[in-house]
Amino acid sequence: MAVVLGAAYTLLATDSASALQFAFAGRVPMVITAEKISVSGLSITPGLSSGKHSDAALMSLFQDFRADDVCVTSVVDLPVIGTTTARLHSDTLSASKFTIETSSLTSSRVSLSPAGLTTERDPATPFRLTAGSFHAFKVRVEPRAFAAASLAAKGFHADFVHGRQGCPSSAPRDSGE
């Protein structure tokens, strides 16, 4: 996980990198929080997570995705060093053709417009929820896998801290330098 986070940080920290393709799959313990998420072209269906241990999961597809005040944390136990938390923060994060597989998503408030719900006879995907636009506030998600055609971040900061720690209450901001 540290190698993946380090590579993403290196690509995003350079002046010439404004977008990159990104995909993550596996069962790395990761938590993503955001103050606000705005999406166009939402499609959500239930299904089974990929991999050796298939669990129920929601599969979501967003045509255009934007999140504000995003924090990603991942806690890993490293030999010799011990428990370490990798933290990534971004003032804004935007993506196109963003897909995510998750079994846990919470939000303080959600709005959909225009929304539709269709049911299917197939027990593997019994329904599909669609919306032209989707807004969620104070979001917390634990993804199993995700991918994006392009991903761009502004006000990006990454660090590694000893122990189990979440994001600081006031995450670092871009100083403009």
Side-chain angles (χ1 to χ4, degrees), residues 1-2 28-29 74-78 82-86 164:
M1 179 62 186
V28 174
S74 180
V75 178
V76 293
D77 290 314
L78 301 173
T83 303
T84 302
T85 303
R164 295 181 179 275

PDB file of all heavy atoms in Angstrom, residues 1-2 28-29 74-78 82-86 164:
ATOM      1  N   MET A   1       0.833  -1.188   0.000  1.00  0.00           N
ATOM      2  CA  MET A   1       0.000   0.000   0.000  1.00  0.00           C
ATOM      3  C   MET A   1       0.871   1.242   0.000  1.00  0.00           C
ATOM      4  O   MET A   1       0.587   2.198  -0.689  1.00  0.00           O
ATOM      5  CB  MET A   1      -0.921  -0.049   1.228  1.00  0.00           C
ATOM      6  CG  MET A   1      -1.815   1.141   1.343  1.00  0.00           C
ATOM      7  SD  MET A   1      -2.916   1.229  -0.071  1.00  0.00           S
ATOM      8  CE  MET A   1      -3.693   2.746   0.231  1.00  0.00           C
ATOM      9  N   ALA A   2       1.929   1.240   0.803  1.00  0.00           N
ATOM     10  CA  ALA A   2       2.802   2.414   0.878  1.00  0.00           C
ATOM     11  C   ALA A   2       3.423   2.707  -0.480  1.00  0.00           C
ATOM     12  O   ALA A   2       3.578   3.864  -0.855  1.00  0.00           O
ATOM     13  CB  ALA A   2       3.878   2.204   1.933  1.00  0.00           C
ATOM     14  N   VAL A  28      -7.123  -4.009   0.769  1.00  0.00           N
ATOM     15  CA  VAL A  28      -6.309  -3.142   1.610  1.00  0.00           C
ATOM     16  C   VAL A  28      -7.260  -2.374   2.516  1.00  0.00           C
ATOM     17  O   VAL A  28      -8.250  -1.823   2.045  1.00  0.00           O
ATOM     18  CB  VAL A  28      -5.468  -2.167   0.749  1.00  0.00           C
ATOM     19  CG1 VAL A  28      -4.731  -1.179   1.626  1.00  0.00           C
ATOM     20  CG2 VAL A  28      -4.488  -2.944  -0.098  1.00  0.00           C
ATOM     21  N   PRO A  29      -6.998  -2.333   3.816  1.00  0.00           N
ATOM     22  CA  PRO A  29      -7.886  -1.605   4.720  1.00  0.00           C
ATOM     23  C   PRO A  29      -7.787  -0.098   4.459  1.00  0.00           C
ATOM     24  O   PRO A  29      -6.814   0.544   4.819  1.00  0.00           O
ATOM     25  CB  PRO A  29      -7.362  -1.970   6.106  1.00  0.00           C
ATOM     26  CG  PRO A  29      -5.930  -2.333   5.880  1.00  0.00           C
ATOM     27  CD  PRO A  29      -5.856  -2.910   4.493  1.00  0.00           C
ATOM     28  N   SER A  74      -5.099   4.577   5.363  1.00  0.00           N
ATOM     29  CA  SER A  74      -4.891   3.137   5.308  1.00  0.00           C
ATOM     30  C   SER A  74      -3.899   2.763   6.397  1.00  0.00           C
ATOM     31  O   SER A  74      -2.799   3.317   6.457  1.00  0.00           O
ATOM     32  CB  SER A  74      -4.354   2.727   3.940  1.00  0.00           C
ATOM     33  OG  SER A  74      -4.171   1.329   3.916  1.00  0.00           O
ATOM     34  N   VAL A  75      -4.317   1.854   7.262  1.00  0.00           N
ATOM     35  CA  VAL A  75      -3.475   1.405   8.366  1.00  0.00           C
ATOM     36  C   VAL A  75      -2.881   0.051   7.999  1.00  0.00           C
ATOM     37  O   VAL A  75      -3.604  -0.859   7.605  1.00  0.00           O
ATOM     38  CB  VAL A  75      -4.280   1.290   9.677  1.00  0.00           C
ATOM     39  CG1 VAL A  75      -3.403   0.781  10.810  1.00  0.00           C
ATOM     40  CG2 VAL A  75      -4.909   2.633  10.040  1.00  0.00           C
ATOM     41  N   VAL A  76      -1.553  -0.057   8.106  1.00  0.00           N
ATOM     42  CA  VAL A  76      -0.862  -1.315   7.821  1.00  0.00           C
ATOM     43  C   VAL A  76       0.110  -1.615   8.955  1.00  0.00           C
ATOM     44  O   VAL A  76       0.638  -0.695   9.598  1.00  0.00           O
ATOM     45  CB  VAL A  76      -0.106  -1.263   6.471  1.00  0.00           C
ATOM     46  CG1 VAL A  76      -1.079  -1.172   5.314  1.00  0.00           C
ATOM     47  CG2 VAL A  76       0.878  -0.125   6.424  1.00  0.00           C
ATOM     48  N   ASP A  77       0.333  -2.899   9.210  1.00  0.00           N
ATOM     49  CA  ASP A  77       1.321  -3.325  10.200  1.00  0.00           C
ATOM     50  C   ASP A  77       2.589  -3.717   9.456  1.00  0.00           C
ATOM     51  O   ASP A  77       2.592  -4.682   8.680  1.00  0.00           O
ATOM     52  CB  ASP A  77       0.792  -4.502  11.024  1.00  0.00           C
ATOM     53  CG  ASP A  77      -0.337  -4.081  11.951  1.00  0.00           C
ATOM     54  OD1 ASP A  77      -0.179  -3.027  12.611  1.00  0.00           O
ATOM     55  OD2 ASP A  77      -1.361  -4.779  12.005  1.00  0.00           O
ATOM     56  N   LEU A  78       3.655  -2.955   9.659  1.00  0.00           N
ATOM     57  CA  LEU A  78       4.917  -3.191   8.970  1.00  0.00           C
ATOM     58  C   LEU A  78       5.918  -3.867   9.901  1.00  0.00           C
ATOM     59  O   LEU A  78       5.979  -3.525  11.090  1.00  0.00           O
ATOM     60  CB  LEU A  78       5.496  -1.854   8.479  1.00  0.00           C
ATOM     61  CG  LEU A  78       4.604  -1.069   7.511  1.00  0.00           C
ATOM     62  CD1 LEU A  78       5.201   0.307   7.247  1.00  0.00           C
ATOM     63  CD2 LEU A  78       4.442  -1.840   6.213  1.00  0.00           C
ATOM     64  N   GLY A  82       6.213  -1.330  12.826  1.00  0.00           N
ATOM     65  CA  GLY A  82       4.956  -1.446  13.568  1.00  0.00           C
ATOM     66  C   GLY A  82       3.795  -0.862  12.785  1.00  0.00           C
ATOM     67  O   GLY A  82       3.868  -0.663  11.573  1.00  0.00           O
ATOM     68  N   THR A  83       2.740  -0.553  13.505  1.00  0.00           N
ATOM     69  CA  THR A  83       1.527  -0.026  12.876  1.00  0.00           C
ATOM     70  C   THR A  83       1.784   1.372  12.335  1.00  0.00           C
ATOM     71  O   THR A  83       2.298   2.238  13.037  1.00  0.00           O
ATOM     72  CB  THR A  83       0.368   0.000  13.885  1.00  0.00           C
ATOM     73  OG1 THR A  83       0.176  -1.323  14.374  1.00  0.00           O
ATOM     74  CG2 THR A  83      -0.916   0.499  13.251  1.00  0.00           C
ATOM     75  N   THR A  84       1.431   1.573  11.070  1.00  0.00           N
ATOM     76  CA  THR A  84       1.650   2.853  10.390  1.00  0.00           C
ATOM     77  C   THR A  84       0.387   3.227   9.623  1.00  0.00           C
ATOM     78  O   THR A  84      -0.262   2.378   9.034  1.00  0.00           O
ATOM     79  CB  THR A  84       2.835   2.742   9.402  1.00  0.00           C
ATOM     80  OG1 THR A  84       3.993   2.332  10.138  1.00  0.00           O
ATOM     81  CG2 THR A  84       3.114   4.052   8.704  1.00  0.00           C
ATOM     82  N   THR A  85       0.044   4.512   9.643  1.00  0.00           N
ATOM     83  CA  THR A  85      -1.101   5.010   8.890  1.00  0.00           C
ATOM     84  C   THR A  85      -0.600   5.886   7.747  1.00  0.00           C
ATOM     85  O   THR A  85       0.137   6.849   7.973  1.00  0.00           O
ATOM     86  CB  THR A  85      -2.044   5.843   9.784  1.00  0.00           C
ATOM     87  OG1 THR A  85      -2.464   5.041  10.887  1.00  0.00           O
ATOM     88  CG2 THR A  85      -3.267   6.308   9.003  1.00  0.00           C
ATOM     89  N   ALA A  86      -1.001   5.528   6.533  1.00  0.00           N
ATOM     90  CA  ALA A  86      -0.734   6.381   5.368  1.00  0.00           C
ATOM     91  C   ALA A  86      -1.951   7.283   5.211  1.00  0.00           C
ATOM     92  O   ALA A  86      -3.090   6.816   5.244  1.00  0.00           O
ATOM     93  CB  ALA A  86      -0.539   5.538   4.116  1.00  0.00           C
ATOM     94  N   ARG A 164      -2.225   4.117  14.714  1.00  0.00           N
ATOM     95  CA  ARG A 164      -3.519   4.216  14.025  1.00  0.00           C
ATOM     96  C   ARG A 164      -4.049   5.617  14.211  1.00  0.00           C
ATOM     97  O   ARG A 164      -4.437   5.989  15.305  1.00  0.00           O
ATOM     98  CB  ARG A 164      -4.514   3.216  14.600  1.00  0.00           C
ATOM     99  CG  ARG A 164      -4.137   1.795  14.370  1.00  0.00           C
ATOM    100  CD  ARG A 164      -5.191   0.850  14.960  1.00  0.00           C
ATOM    101  NE  ARG A 164      -4.816  -0.521  14.714  1.00  0.00           N
ATOM    102  CZ  ARG A 164      -5.082  -1.184  13.594  1.00  0.00           C
ATOM    103  NH1 ARG A 164      -5.743  -0.597  12.635  1.00  0.00           N
ATOM    104  NH2 ARG A 164      -4.695  -2.426  13.439  1.00  0.00           N
TER     105      ARG A 164
END
